[in-house]
Amino acid sequence: MKTSLFLARRISLHPDSRRLSTGVVIAIAGVALALTVMLVSISVMLGFKQQIRSRVLAFQAPLTVTALHASDDNSSRGIEVTKTLVEEIRQATGKDAEIYQVASVPAILKTDSQFSGVMIKGIAPENPLPIIKSHIVAGEFPDFSADSTLYHIAMSRTLASRLGINAGESVNAFITDSRIPRARKLKVAAVFDTHFTDFDKALVFGNISMVRRIVHADSLYASSIEIYTGKDDEAIDLMQRELSARLVSANYAGRIADFLTVSNIHTSAAQYFNWLALLDTNVVVILIIMMLVSALTLVSSLFIIVLERVNMIGILKAMGATDAMIRSIFILVTLRLVATGLIIGNGVALLFLFLQKYLEFVPLDPEAYYLDSVPVDLSAWWILAVNAGVVVISTLVLILPSRIISSISPARAIRYE
């Protein structure tokens, strides 16, 4: 192996000492192009999954607990959040799970010239809502722990534009959760824009205490309980089944009064996750095509390099070199080209990805993609994994074509012109 490596390093890739041969250029360009496309494709796909998932989680929790029954009495509608119920949820989801109470109520928001039907989502002060708060475009998200913000709300730019209202102004709200409509004047403390039009146009964030007061419910009332676990998608599905079984058993045993059901985000936001799954399929197809392109260019380049050095092969065979040694020499020579292609491909791909990440110079239509620019996710492990995969596959695809060296006769090779 040391001899093969020494000879492979000594073989010049410049047959006429002025420029690279056609085969060398094709091999380097093919590997660089394939690697660039693969890195950009994977980065964009992961960026889309991360951004879309985080935006969905801003409006819907991974797990949501709701009551199956409904009553005409507002005080009993929803869930009675007792310490026993919270403990049952903790037992199924783990101590690290974040549990938040939510009280939602339908309403009509009306200005002098416009109106719109919405759902007011009353959240607890401890609910962080990081995505919503990071996309505030006007005003400041209210601190719901203060009494002064009881009737403050945060709405989307889409809804504010439809109503013709700005941050700091007030809007009339007509609550329709009972037979007798209730009117309240709410202050728009903040306007956000997540580009998730389906949610932005219909959801308003408010104080959970405000909703409880409007529906005349006590401090234990919640229309739903949202659970954030930080687990992966498969764990969420398993956790849903475990939590559902535990809550049903607790209800039959009399530990909790309500018959509760558990839904997960894969069901409630299935259209978004199906779209992301389609992206996975597209990226797999791209990876396969790029690997084939890289493999074909390397095989073609190996044949060209062998033909350019037939005389050398004949001399090596005449000196006693085995076919296996000569094959390893030319495989190592071709891997030199792969290394050069990897350097160029990584450089081009990472430069593009870094510029896109921080400058966002490639825009998107938010109405179609829910984002205003192409997202990228830069992670060292998958960059290294793609590079390692290219090296491994390149080595494997070169083994079979290199056997052409075995058919070369030393006597004919030395006289080869």
Side-chain angles (χ1 to χ4, degrees):
M1 183 62 185
K2 290 183 178 180
T3 303
S4 301
L5 182 59
F6 173 78
L7 292 175
R9 294 176 61 183
R10 298 291 295 177
I11 292 178
S12 174
L13 299 178
H14 302 72
D16 58 4
S17 69
R18 289 178 299 183
R19 61 184 179 84
L20 294 174
S21 67
T22 303
V24 170
V25 173
I26 292 175
I28 294 175
V31 173
L33 175 63
L35 182 65
T36 300
V37 173
M38 287 189 288
L39 289 180
V40 172
S41 299
I42 295 176
S43 176
V44 171
M45 181 269 291
L46 293 177
F48 262 111
K49 295 185 72 171
Q50 181 185 38
Q51 291 294 324
I52 298 300
R53 193 176 191 275
S54 65
R55 279 165 168 73
V56 173
L57 289 174
F59 297 99
Q60 298 186 8
L63 296 173
T64 303
V65 178
T66 54
L68 286 179
H69 70 274
S71 171
D72 291 334
D73 180 9
N74 279 334
S75 62
S76 63
R77 184 176 298 138
I79 304 172
E80 183 180 5
V81 185
T82 62
K83 291 183 179 180
T84 302
L85 174 57
V86 174
E87 183 60 28
E88 293 288 345
I89 295 175
R90 289 276 183 208
Q91 291 293 328
T93 59
K95 62 180 181 180
D96 296 330
E98 299 176 6
I99 302 173
Y100 301 114
Q101 300 177 36
V102 174
S104 299
V105 63
I108 296 176
L109 301 184
K110 186 180 184 306
T111 60
D112 293 338
S113 58
Q114 299 291 335
F115 68 93
S116 181
V118 299
M119 179 68 71
I120 299 177
K121 183 176 181 179
I123 62 172
E126 63 271 14
N127 194 329
L129 292 179
I131 299 300
I132 299 298
K133 293 179 180 178
S134 65
H135 286 79
I136 298 294
V137 296
E140 184 177 352
F141 198 90
D143 178 10
F144 289 136
S145 62
D147 293 337
S148 59
T149 62
L150 182 64
Y151 290 101
H152 288 197
I153 60 173
M155 68 170 55
S156 70
R157 175 186 283 173
T158 302
L159 186 57
S161 177
R162 178 184 299 176
L163 295 172
I165 194 171
N166 299 312
E169 298 179 353
S170 296
V171 60
N172 294 315
F174 298 91
I175 312 302
T176 58
D177 193 46
S178 64
R179 294 190 180 95
I180 302 175
R182 301 180 179 87
R184 297 290 188 276
K185 179 166 286 190
L186 307 179
K187 180 180 178 180
V188 181
V191 176
F192 60 86
D193 189 3
T194 65
H195 299 302
F196 249 46
T197 309
D198 293 342
F199 294 103
D200 284 354
K201 66 184 180 182
L203 195 61
V204 170
F205 292 95
N207 194 327
I208 190 172
S209 299
M210 173 190 70
V211 176
R212 285 169 173 165
R213 181 174 297 187
I214 290 174
V215 301
H216 300 297
D218 57 30
S219 59
L220 296 180
Y221 165 84
S223 55
S224 62
I225 299 175
E226 296 184 340
I227 306 164
Y228 291 83
T229 65
K231 304 293 185 180
D232 57 26
D233 292 342
E234 292 184 1
I236 290 174
D237 294 334
L238 177 61
M239 194 174 293
Q240 178 199 12
R241 294 191 291 270
E242 293 178 354
L243 179 57
S244 296
R246 177 173 285 274
L247 292 179
V248 169
S249 298
N251 176 255
Y252 285 152
R255 296 193 298 272
I256 58 176
D258 301 314
F259 190 80
L260 305 176
T261 182
V262 183
S263 62
N264 71 36
I265 197 171
H266 301 143
T267 302
S268 58
Q271 67 271 29
Y272 302 108
F273 286 94
N274 291 338
W275 181 54
L276 294 178
L278 183 61
L279 285 180
D280 290 341
T281 303
N282 293 340
V283 170
V284 170
V285 172
I286 291 174
L287 291 179
I288 293 174
I289 293 174
M290 288 300 101
M291 283 294 184
L292 289 175
V293 169
S294 179
L296 291 174
T297 55
L298 288 176
V299 170
S300 301
S301 299
L302 176 62
F303 285 143
I304 294 173
I305 293 172
V306 168
L307 291 175
E308 288 176 346
R309 291 164 177 80
V310 171
N311 297 72
M312 187 191 76
I313 294 173
I315 294 172
L316 289 174
K317 285 192 173 186
M319 294 176 63
T322 63
D323 290 338
M325 177 186 292
I326 301 175
R327 286 201 305 270
S328 65
I329 291 173
F330 282 92
I331 289 175
L332 290 172
V333 169
T334 310
L335 290 180
R336 284 172 55 189
L337 309 183
V338 173
T340 305
L342 291 180
I343 294 173
I344 296 174
N346 278 296
V348 173
L350 293 178
L351 176 62
F352 171 82
L353 294 174
F354 272 110
L355 290 177
Q356 177 61 24
K357 183 177 181 66
Y358 296 105
L359 300 181
E360 298 181 346
F361 62 92
V362 180
L364 289 176
D365 180 8
E367 294 295 327
Y369 297 98
Y370 309 110
L371 301 171
D372 54 6
S373 66
V374 174
V376 297
D377 178 50
L378 292 171
S379 178
W381 75 264
W382 63 258
I383 294 176
L384 294 175
V386 171
N387 279 267
V390 170
V391 173
V392 171
I393 292 176
S394 299
T395 304
L396 294 176
V397 300
L398 291 173
I399 292 176
L400 187 60
S402 66
R403 298 184 66 86
I404 190 177
I405 295 171
S406 303
S407 62
I408 297 177
S409 169
R412 292 182 179 180
I414 294 175
R415 298 194 303 268
Y416 180 80
E417 294 290 339

